[in-house]
Amino acid sequence: MTELTKLHYPLNNNLKVAEPQVLVMGYFDGVHLGHQAVIKRAKEEADRLGLPLAVLTYTPYPGLVFQKLPLPWHDLTPLDEKVALLSKLGVARVYCLNLTSMLSELEPQSFVDEVLMPLSPRVVVAGYDHLYGARDKQADMAHLSNYARNRFDVVTVAKTALAGQNHKIASRDIRAALADGDLDFVKASLGRHHETSGVVVHGDARGRTLGFPTINIWTPEQESLPAIGVYVVSVTILGQQVMGMASIGRNVTFGKDRPVTVEINLLDFDQAVYGEPVRVKWLQRLRGEVAFESAEALIEQLERDRQDTRNYFEKD
Ligand SMILES: Cc1cc2nc3c(=O)[nH]c(=O)nc-3n(C[C@H](O)[C@H](O)[C@H](O)COP(=O)(O)O)c2cc1C
Ligand SMILES: Nc1ncnc2c1ncn2[C@@H]1O[C@H](COP(=O)(O)OP(=O)(O)OP(=O)(O)O)[C@@H](O)[C@H]1O
């Protein structure tokens, strides 16, 4: 079990990390392939030294502290999912530090002395472009050894890019691709399919009359959903993995200005599951949402979508 410790600057003097550890710094939204390379490199170091591996991450997203971004903000991976993914990579402890004005204005030397040192780092690891402390000072990886003053070693991990590209894999680009419904790019960058959590709630009970009953999913605000459209999904519900086709949209065939809902027609499944927690794995985009001229035209399209969904699982 990975241990999660929430921290606020200035750190409580009672925080005592007795044992030295390998410490990785970063926000790690999405725990994408670039992040995974950084963590794996740190894990090698931790194993070589026989020390635990710890991550120092932040909340909220640094962009929200340095500039005005539209709210609500959606991380690719909310903190609990980030911790679960880091855990799978061998991370024993996660420190989640509030990113505040006071922290972001710290001189780099003070950041090292007052934030890193209480965490007993033997080695500090981060990616080549990681910044800490005041942005306008020399708070980069090249200068970290100076501030360390022989108290810890520094490992800087080189850029990870997608095959044939120069641009680094970045969570900002993954968030943008998800907002465009580009699940292929999302998967290539994360090294896995994007997933969201939710709970089954009531819809308008129209789906059943169309011959395509749907579970309506309430998705908590901190989760990141793909763009409006129709998708092949795999749903974990009642401990089973079930094939499905999902619609994120306003059900425009049935009126204007309806709210965006997430509905999933589960294939080969028929149980009452209101209130059940679900995990949705977003596998492939099938199409955009269409305002059909009649319910019959929508039904014909839904039949084609179901065939496309079955084809996806057959080739997989
Ligand atoms: C795979 C799938 C694709 C859908 N595509 C569309 C669409 O293109 N246009 C549309 O208006 N509604 C679409 N819907 C939504 C249906 O209109 C919706 O399931 C129906 O109105 C039932 O809503 P209810 O569950 O709230 O009763 C789709 C639903 C599913 C499951
Ligand atoms: N593609 C990458 N290659 C190498 N290191 C990376 C890559 N992306 C992020 N890192 C490093 O991983 C750690 C976590 O990244 P963090 O999320 O803090 O920042 P980031 O560089 O803004 O990542 P992103 O742009 O993906 O959000 C940092 O140490 C960062 O330097």
Side-chain angles (χ1 to χ4, degrees):
M1 248 318 257
T2 299
E3 190 182 295
L4 173 66
T5 307
K6 297 195 175 177
L7 300 176
H8 191 278
Y9 177 80
L11 266 51
N12 184 333
N13 286 334
N14 296 330
L15 176 81
K16 290 267 178 293
V17 180
E19 201 186 11
Q21 53 191 354
V22 173
L23 189 67
V24 199
M25 299 188 286
Y27 187 70
F28 297 112
D29 185 31
V31 194
H32 58 57
L33 290 173
H35 298 149
Q36 291 170 34
V38 175
I39 303 288
K40 283 181 185 158
R41 178 69 187 82
K43 176 73 174 130
E44 283 168 20
E45 206 64 16
D47 288 348
R48 188 176 67 79
L49 296 166
L51 297 178
L53 178 59
V55 164
L56 172 62
T57 190
Y58 307 94
T59 188
Y61 175 65
L64 294 169
V65 176
F66 294 111
Q67 62 201 285
K68 183 168 189 286
L69 293 177
L71 293 173
W73 172 259
H74 307 280
D75 275 329
L76 287 165
T77 46
L79 183 60
D80 56 348
E81 192 188 344
K82 192 190 284 184
V83 172
L85 290 165
L86 292 173
S87 184
K88 281 193 198 152
L89 295 170
V91 173
R93 292 188 197 127
V94 174
Y95 299 98
C96 184
L97 177 61
N98 285 111
L99 187 59
T100 57
S101 302
M102 213 184 279
L103 182 77
S104 68
E105 284 157 14
L106 271 183
E107 294 292 329
Q109 186 66 62
S110 305
F111 181 89
V112 169
D113 295 345
E114 297 173 34
V115 177
L116 296 186
M117 287 317 295
L119 303 176
S120 301
R122 170 75 185 74
V123 183
V124 174
V125 183
Y128 68 107
D129 61 349
H130 188 67
L131 300 173
Y132 46 90
R135 301 271 129 164
D136 53 344
K137 305 282 171 9
Q138 293 180 315
D140 56 10
M141 291 304 284
H143 291 83
L144 188 56
S145 293
N146 300 348
Y147 308 124
R149 297 185 177 149
N150 299 319
R151 291 170 294 179
F152 56 80
D153 292 335
V154 174
V155 172
T156 305
V157 182
K159 174 167 77 178
T160 302
L162 289 176
Q165 289 185 23
N166 188 32
H167 186 59
K168 77 164 194 172
I169 297 178
S171 55
R172 170 201 291 254
D173 296 337
I174 306 173
R175 283 191 295 270
L178 193 63
D180 278 349
D182 184 354
L183 294 189
D184 291 342
F185 182 88
V186 170
K187 185 190 174 211
S189 306
L190 291 180
R192 62 175 192 278
H193 293 288
H194 178 64
E195 296 184 23
T196 53
S197 292
V199 176
V200 181
V201 294
H202 280 274
D204 291 341
R206 188 189 302 110
R208 204 161 281 279
T209 65
L210 298 173
F212 288 87
T214 57
I215 53 169
N216 287 60
I217 311 290
W218 167 61
T219 307
E221 191 175 83
Q222 75 265 23
E223 298 276 351
S224 282
L225 285 169
I228 282 181
V230 177
Y231 299 87
V232 178
V233 294
S234 169
V235 179
T236 306
I237 186 164
L238 294 171
Q240 306 166 44
Q241 288 238 12
V242 187
M243 297 183 286
M245 50 181 189
S247 161
I248 303 180
R250 299 181 187 276
N251 296 349
V252 287
T253 301
F254 299 98
K256 280 199 175 129
D257 304 324
R258 297 166 56 99
V260 175
T261 55
V262 180
E263 299 178 28
I264 304 179
N265 172 248
L266 295 170
L267 275 57
D268 314 319
F269 185 92
D270 189 13
Q271 290 184 54
V273 285
Y274 295 115
E276 289 291 342
V278 292
R279 187 93 185 140
V280 182
K281 204 181 266 187
W282 300 91
L283 300 174
Q284 192 180 65
R285 182 175 170 91
L286 290 176
R287 62 179 176 87
E289 186 182 33
V290 176
F292 290 97
E293 287 189 351
S294 62
E296 291 67 36
L298 170 61
I299 291 168
E300 275 174 29
Q301 179 60 52
L302 289 172
E303 275 158 7
R304 286 192 288 274
D305 293 336
R306 181 160 58 193
Q307 193 52 52
D308 289 344
T309 302
R310 288 205 189 278
N311 292 346
Y312 176 92
F313 285 103
E314 268 162 31
K315 78 169 167 43
D316 222 37

